Amino acid sequence: MTASLEQLRRCHFAVDLGAARTRVYVKGSGLVVDQPSAAAVNTRTGALIAVGELAEKMTGRTPDYIRVVRPVSGGTVVDIEMAQRMLRHLLGDKMRRALRRKPILRAAACTPHDADPLAQRAAIETLVGLGARKVELVDTLIAAAVGCGLPVEQPEATMIMVCGAAATQVAVLSLGSIVTAERIPVGGEAVDQAIVQHLRHQHELMLPSQSVRPLQLALSGNGLTPQGPASTEIHGRDVATGLARSVQVDTAAVRDAIQTPLTAILDGIGKVLRACPPDLVADLADRGIMMVGGSALLPGLDQMLRQATNMPVHIAERPDVCAVQGLGAMLEGRIAPLALEPLGT
C-alpha cells in the first residue's frame, strides 16, 4: 500500500513512527521533530508529564505512580491514543496551528514492509487524530532508499538494509518497486539484550539503566571489531549483593555473544538474494548493500556482512534519518519518476 509520487506531493507533513525514535518532516520547514518514542504518564491522574528526550531519561528512575510508556513497538503503533498525545506535544502548539490552517490537511507515514491491515490502520488513525483528512502510506524500505540517494527509479538493482531497533528489513529494489524483501524480527534491541545476558551470566553483572543502550556503555569506539581494544571496563550492579561493581570484559567474548542475533540477519539477506533474479544479483555484486537505520552504526556489523556476503557494504551518511528524509524528498517533489509510456501499435 505505497502511495504514488503525485499523491505524496499533495501532503503537508510526514511522520516516521519508529520503535526507538519518532521523526516528523513538515513541507517547507524540513525535519522539525527527532525525539525518542517515549512518554511519561502519571497513573493516578492520567496526565502526560513528559515526552521525548525527558521521558527517555526517566526510564528506570521514576516513582511508582509515574510510568514511562512506548506507544510504538516494532514500527507499529500499539497505543493510538498515547501516540497521538505524544505527537501533539512533540510538534508543539505553534506547528500544530500552522498545519491546521491547511484547508485539507494531508499526511504521509512510513510503514514496515508487509505491515498487516491492522498496523496500517493504526498508523492512519494516529495521524487522523492530529487533524489529517487524508493519510498516504509509504513502505519504509522505499522511503529509506530515496533518503540515502539510491537510484530507486532506474532499471538496475539496489539493495537496502534498514536496521531498526526491533526489526531488520532487507530488500532489492528496481524501477521504483520492491522486487523481493524480507523482514527479520531482530534489531538493535536484540543485540543489546544479548550483551546484557552475556554480562549477567558470565560476570554476574547487571547494567545500570534501560534508557541508555547497553552496547554504548559496554564498548566504545571500535570495541566490537577485531582491531578494537582487547578488553574494556564495565560498571554495573552485582546480581548477588546489589552493590556497585566493575569488571574487565573481554571484547572477543562479547563478539561471540552477539553472533546469534546477527546470524538471523545474515539468513534473511541470503533468502532475499536467493529469491532475486540473476540479472539483478549481478548488479548487486558491484553496488553492494546500503545500510540505513540507527542500528546500522553497530560496530563491526558492516565488516561482518562484507565477510559473509563477499559484497561491498556501505553505511549511509546519516543512516538514522534516511526514511524521513526520503519522505521529505517525495513531499517536496525532488524525486522524478521514470516515465514509461506505452508504445503505439
Side-chain angles (χ1 to χ4, degrees), residues 134-301:
K134 179 77 174 171
V135 179
E136 307 290 354
L137 299 181
V138 180
D139 197 302
T140 303
L141 290 163
I142 293 177
V146 170
C148 62
L150 291 178
V152 188
E153 297 293 333
Q154 299 303 314
E156 51 195 31
T158 53
M159 189 169 191
I160 188 157
M161 178 173 161
V162 180
C163 309
T168 300
Q169 303 173 68
V170 185
V172 174
L173 310 176
S174 182
L175 287 172
S177 298
I178 295 172
V179 178
T180 177
E182 190 73 24
R183 187 165 183 261
I184 307 118
V186 172
E189 291 175 354
V191 174
D192 293 345
Q193 192 61 32
I195 295 174
V196 170
Q197 292 299 323
H198 169 76
L199 293 175
R200 188 183 179 102
H201 293 150
Q202 298 298 320
H203 301 279
E204 296 184 349
L205 193 77
M206 291 181 67
L207 287 183
S209 173
Q210 296 290 324
S211 65
V212 182
R213 288 192 64 189
L215 177 63
Q216 306 267 336
L217 287 175
L219 300 159
S220 58
N222 280 336
L224 284 181
T225 64
Q227 294 78 25
S231 64
T232 186
E233 189 175 19
I234 307 295
H235 306 282
R237 191 180 76 184
D238 190 280
V239 172
T241 65
L243 300 176
R245 186 162 64 93
S246 299
V247 296
Q248 283 288 332
V249 177
D250 181 15
T251 52
V254 176
R255 280 203 302 275
D256 293 339
I258 66 172
Q259 284 303 310
T260 302
L262 295 184
T263 302
I265 295 175
L266 289 175
D267 291 344
I269 293 173
K271 195 178 291 186
V272 168
L273 290 173
R274 285 193 295 272
C276 192
D279 290 341
L280 294 182
V281 176
D283 287 349
L284 295 175
D286 297 327
R287 292 183 170 276
I289 305 170
M290 178 64 78
M291 293 172 60
V292 302
S295 300
L297 299 172
L298 180 71
L301 178 57

Side-chain angles (χ1 to χ4, degrees), residues 115-128:
D116 58 65
L118 282 176
Q120 293 177 351
R121 190 69 199 167
I124 292 170
E125 289 291 337
T126 301
L127 298 189
V128 166

